[in-house]
Amino acid sequence: MSYQSLNPATGKVLKSFAEISDADFEKKIATASACYEVWRKKSYAERAVIVAKAAAIMKEKVDEFAKPMTLEMGKRISEARGEVEFSSSILAYYAKNAEKFLAPVKLHPQVGEAHMESSPIGVIFGVEPWNFPYYQLARVAGPHLMAGNVLMVKHASCVPQCAIAFEKLWIDAGAPAGLYTNLLISHEQSDRIIDDPRIKGVALTGSVAAGRSLAARAGKNLKVSSMELGGSDAFIVLEDADLEHTVKWAVWGRMYNAGQTCCAAKRFIVVEELADKFLEKFSAALQALKPGDPMDEKTTLGPLSTESALVDLLKQVDGAVAKGAKVLMGGKRYDRPGSFMEPTILTDVKKDNPAFRDEFFGPVAMFFRVKDEDAAIALANDSDFGLGGSVFTKDIARGKRVASRVETGMMFINNISWSDAELPFGGIKDSGYGRELGNMGIQEFVNKKLVRTAHLEAPV
Ligand code: NAP
């Protein structure tokens, strides 16, 4: 396996990178490990200088960071710029708030006094996906570096230029050698680094298959891990929803990033009364999207990240149809160069169809019609995933009741504003465990130490 930067809008190879040798690999681990011994002793203020500087550089150089993303995984340039800005704000958020989040917490035992204190645990190994080439990195770098840990990251093999740009960001921000290390490594080397005693934690964002493999390896080594995995989020539309508002979110929720988002709306569950009207407007809006060069501001539909992602998704759609699903629109690749797929709506996906339980990672929506709110919730919960979900209704109290009954890590009422630096992000069931972002995100890889003072006589 090698790391290849290839433009999915044209099929042209931009650059290839060899995996690092075992000797280099060992050197990098040794450097990171030595860096930890220095970094852990720095004050929050000292750490914040570097992390805030990295945030400022990203903010100053939005285009410089955005362009490689568009070129190597096809994200539309306006979305790419937004991602760079958001990544910068995540770093700035942790530079500002880490000390407060990790401040000692006083406890109240019956005798004496006690507190919990937080301390870093060491070198953390991160494995990250291509769909948000910087945002995913910022979500681990901001909190874990501010907590006093050190990071080594294996990024996805199709976004090496972004991976290298993010490593350079830390050097430019004045970070000590080894604070943030990008690793162009194989899966086998990834297994070995998890086994290495100098590595103290494993953070993965990726597929369920990768989650099973990495969580098992971390478990075997008794290492703490966080798993941000896939999803098949329900988009529930109740009969009292504002249709215009709902359809706009439906299109954005399914099509943002060409549909390649873990918590995208993937299962559209609409109460009977509104189902025909919703479907008519939703399909018309999807039909209006036009594929084109993702570097062009006017393009409304970009390519999928790689040709193999497109081929796999087309196979998945064909498989669903072979088992009884119907294609209401789309279902094919566009007749043009590049890895572009038509926006697709599948209906009649019955429970015995394997697609019912699948994640469609691209512009494919599954549409379900249900009789009422209870049926919508039951269907939403009939999933192996539990990442996020949304509900659309004019009655906010009703929306909150529905949100409480859906079994996921996140629910959104009348919007799908997935992510903010302040809000914890993560799922349950096959969507993984642990949280990133917010106060919770910085607590994942720290030692929570109890310190108690009490003048007690030792029992005899
Ligand atoms: P993937 O194949 O699991 O890849 C993700 C990362 O894991 C890549 O860096 C990949 O490296 C690495 N990887 C995969 N198997 C590995 C193994 N056995 N050992 C070591 N590394 C391994 O995921 P994907 O299909 O590209 O990404 C999309 C998935 O990620 C979707 O399921 C999506 O829902 C999920 N996701 C979840 C979140 C979240 O926060 N919950 C966010 C974004 C995406 P290579 O590229 O070298 O194989």
Side-chain angles (χ1 to χ4, degrees), residues 270-284:
V270 186
V271 167
E272 181 64 52
E273 244 173 282
L274 217 54
D276 288 334
K277 283 189 197 142
F278 173 87
L279 202 49
E280 188 190 324
K281 285 185 185 291
F282 183 45
S283 49

Side-chain angles (χ1 to χ4, degrees), residues 128 130 136 139 154 157 187 205-207 210 229-230 262 359 425:
E128 300 299 331
W130 46 266
Q136 296 294 347
R139 278 182 11 165
K154 184 222 168 302
S157 48
H187 291 184
T205 296
S207 59
L229 309 178
C262 51
E359 176 185 31
F425 186 108

Side-chain angles (χ1 to χ4, degrees), residues 107-378:
L107 302 176
H108 303 282
Q110 288 181 7
V111 180
E113 55 179 3
H115 70 268
M116 299 293 300
E117 61 184 39
S118 298
S119 48
I121 59 171
V123 183
I124 307 301
F125 175 52
V127 177
E128 300 299 331
W130 46 266
N131 61 341
F132 291 94
Y134 299 118
Y135 158 71
Q136 296 294 347
L137 302 182
R139 278 182 11 165
V140 288
H144 306 326
L145 297 182
M146 277 308 300
N149 294 311
V150 156
L151 260 180
M152 304 193 82
V153 176
K154 184 222 168 302
H155 212 331
S157 48
C158 62
V159 287
Q161 298 204 57
C162 293
I164 291 166
F166 198 77
E167 182 184 53
K168 180 173 176 297
L169 169 70
W170 293 98
I171 298 162
D172 293 348
L179 182 67
Y180 181 98
T181 309
N182 174 52
L183 293 170
L184 299 177
I185 56 172
S186 65
H187 291 184
E188 187 272 323
Q189 285 170 312
S190 159
D191 280 347
R192 262 194 280 145
I193 197 171
I194 298 174
D195 294 344
D196 191 298
R198 289 166 292 185
I199 301 298
K200 304 297 183 196
V202 179
L204 166 76
T205 296
S207 59
V208 173
R212 291 192 201 288
S213 169
L214 273 88
R217 198 85 188 188
K220 191 170 146 244
N221 285 285
L222 297 178
K223 288 181 184 172
V224 62
S225 63
S226 70
M227 296 286 141
E228 297 280 0
L229 309 178
S232 188
D233 288 8
F235 183 103
I236 298 174
V237 184
L238 300 178
E239 69 285 353
D240 64 347
D242 173 340
L243 193 58
E244 296 297 326
H245 174 88
T246 304
V247 168
K248 281 186 195 148
W249 276 111
V251 174
W252 189 86
R254 182 57 289 198
M255 298 305 298
Y256 174 73
N257 206 25
Q260 305 162 111
T261 305
C262 51
C263 50
K266 292 175 187 149
R267 295 178 296 143
F268 293 81
I269 301 175
V270 186
V271 167
E272 181 64 52
E273 244 173 282
L274 217 54
D276 288 334
K277 283 189 197 142
F278 173 87
L279 202 49
E280 188 190 324
K281 285 185 185 291
F282 183 45
S283 49
L286 292 186
Q287 209 80 60
L289 299 174
K290 292 278 168 285
D293 179 0
M295 213 46 114
D296 181 346
E297 305 270 358
K298 292 191 288 296
T299 294
T300 50
L301 180 62
L304 294 194
S305 60
T306 57
E307 180 61 19
S308 63
L310 172 63
V311 169
D312 289 350
L313 191 60
L314 290 167
K315 264 193 219 144
Q316 230 184 324
V317 168
D318 290 347
V321 171
K323 298 281 181 191
K326 297 204 170 89
V327 178
L328 184 77
M329 62 174 279
K332 300 203 175 60
R333 71 183 301 153
Y334 280 102
D335 183 16
R336 54 164 294 149
S339 308
F340 290 86
M341 173 150 182
E342 295 173 346
T344 299
I345 300 180
L346 296 178
T347 63
D348 299 271
V349 183
K350 300 280 164 15
K351 262 186 93 149
D352 58 354
N353 189 332
F356 184 83
R357 312 202 85 74
D358 272 1
E359 176 185 31
F360 284 85
F361 212 58
V364 180
M366 286 194 275
F367 176 82
F368 302 90
R369 194 183 283 266
V370 289
K371 80 172 187 318
D372 58 16
E373 176 184 317
D374 281 347
I377 294 167

